[in-house]
Amino acid sequence: MSIVSPVKHIIFFTLILIGACQTMDDGYFSELANSGEVVIVLDDYELDEVPPEIELLSKATDLRIVQDRGWQVYPPISFYPPLAKFPPPYRFLPDEITTLTQLQDLSISGLNLAELPQNFSQLKNLESLDLTHNKLNISAEWGKLKSLPKLREVTVIGNVVDTAEVHRWMDERPGLKVIYHWNDIKEEW
C-alpha cells in the first residue's frame, strides 16, 4: 500500500472542507451585495425559502426572487373557489427583507407565501410589487400595502382576492393599479 494514496485523500478532503467553510463565511448572496438589479433563483442555492441573508442586498433597487428557472404550471384561477384556502406548503419571508429600503421594484412570485412580514411597510420606496401565485389573502395584507407611499402597481393574480375590495382600494388610491386578473395584463399588450 502506498502512502501517497491516503495523503491524497487527506489533502482532497481538507480542500473540500476549506472551500465549504469559505462559502459559509461569505453567506448567501454576498456576490450580489453591490448590485442594483438582482435576480435570485432559490434552487440555484438549494433553498426552499428566502434566507435572512437577503439583507446583504441593501443596494438593490430591483429584486426578483423565484423558486426555479423552469416553467411553473398552475391550475387556472377558476380552479380555486372564491376565498379558497390554499394547501401547504406555506412559506414566509424573513423580516430582514424589510431592511432593503432602496427597493423600487420587487417580484416575489410563486414562492408559496402565506403572509408578508409585519414590517413590510418599511419598504417606503417600493413602486411596483409582484405577488403573483402565492398563497396570500390580499385583504389581510392590504394594511401593509396601503402604507407604502410610492406604490403605484401591485400584481396579485393567483392569490385570494376579493374583487369588490380591490376596486375600493383603487378608489381610495387613484394612482394605484391593482392587477388581479389576467385580463388586466392583456389590456396592456
Side-chain angles (χ1 to χ4, degrees):
M1 179 173 178
S2 167
I3 194 159
V4 174
S5 181
V7 170
K8 279 185 180 179
H9 289 286
I10 291 171
I11 292 172
F12 175 73
F13 287 115
T14 303
L15 289 174
I16 288 176
L17 256 172
I18 290 170
C21 290
Q22 286 176 338
T23 302
M24 290 173 69
D25 288 342
D26 290 345
Y28 296 111
F29 318 133
S30 59
E31 74 280 4
L32 304 170
N34 292 316
S35 300
E37 294 182 18
V38 178
V39 175
I40 294 174
V41 180
L42 294 176
D43 282 356
D44 288 354
Y45 296 91
E46 298 180 6
L47 294 170
D48 290 329
E49 293 184 334
V50 178
E53 289 86 350
I54 195 76
E55 69 186 351
L56 294 174
L57 306 177
S58 61
K59 295 183 181 173
T61 56
D62 185 342
L63 177 60
R64 304 196 183 288
I65 305 172
V66 294
Q67 187 62 50
D68 60 36
R69 293 181 185 277
W71 284 90
Q72 293 288 327
V73 178
Y74 296 101
I77 300 303
S78 60
F79 170 80
Y80 300 108
L83 301 177
K85 178 78 172 156
F86 289 98
Y90 304 111
R91 307 268 190 250
F92 301 89
L93 289 173
D95 288 332
E96 287 81 358
I97 199 163
T98 64
T99 65
L100 306 182
T101 57
Q102 300 303 309
L103 280 180
Q104 296 171 2
D105 190 357
L106 176 61
S107 176
I108 44 180
S109 165
L111 299 178
N112 292 315
L113 299 176
E115 70 178 315
L116 298 173
Q118 285 300 323
N119 296 328
F120 203 73
S121 61
Q122 290 180 356
L123 301 176
K124 298 289 185 198
N125 289 309
L126 202 58
E127 297 174 8
S128 178
L129 177 62
D130 181 359
L131 299 170
T132 306
H133 289 293
N134 281 294
K135 297 177 178 180
L136 298 164
N137 180 335
I138 299 303
S139 296
E141 303 300 327
W142 181 241
K144 299 169 192 171
L145 302 177
K146 201 158 90 168
S147 64
L148 299 169
K150 295 184 180 180
L151 190 64
R152 57 181 169 68
E153 181 175 290
V154 59
T155 306
V156 296
I157 296 169
N159 291 282
V160 178
V161 178
D162 178 343
T163 56
E165 194 166 5
V166 166
H167 288 282
R168 281 195 302 274
W169 298 338
M170 290 191 292
D171 288 342
E172 288 174 17
R173 292 202 36 199
L176 177 64
K177 181 176 183 180
V178 180
I179 300 170
Y180 61 92
H181 194 277
W182 287 113
N183 290 340
D184 298 335
I185 294 174
K186 289 178 193 173
E187 291 172 6
E188 293 180 8
W189 293 345

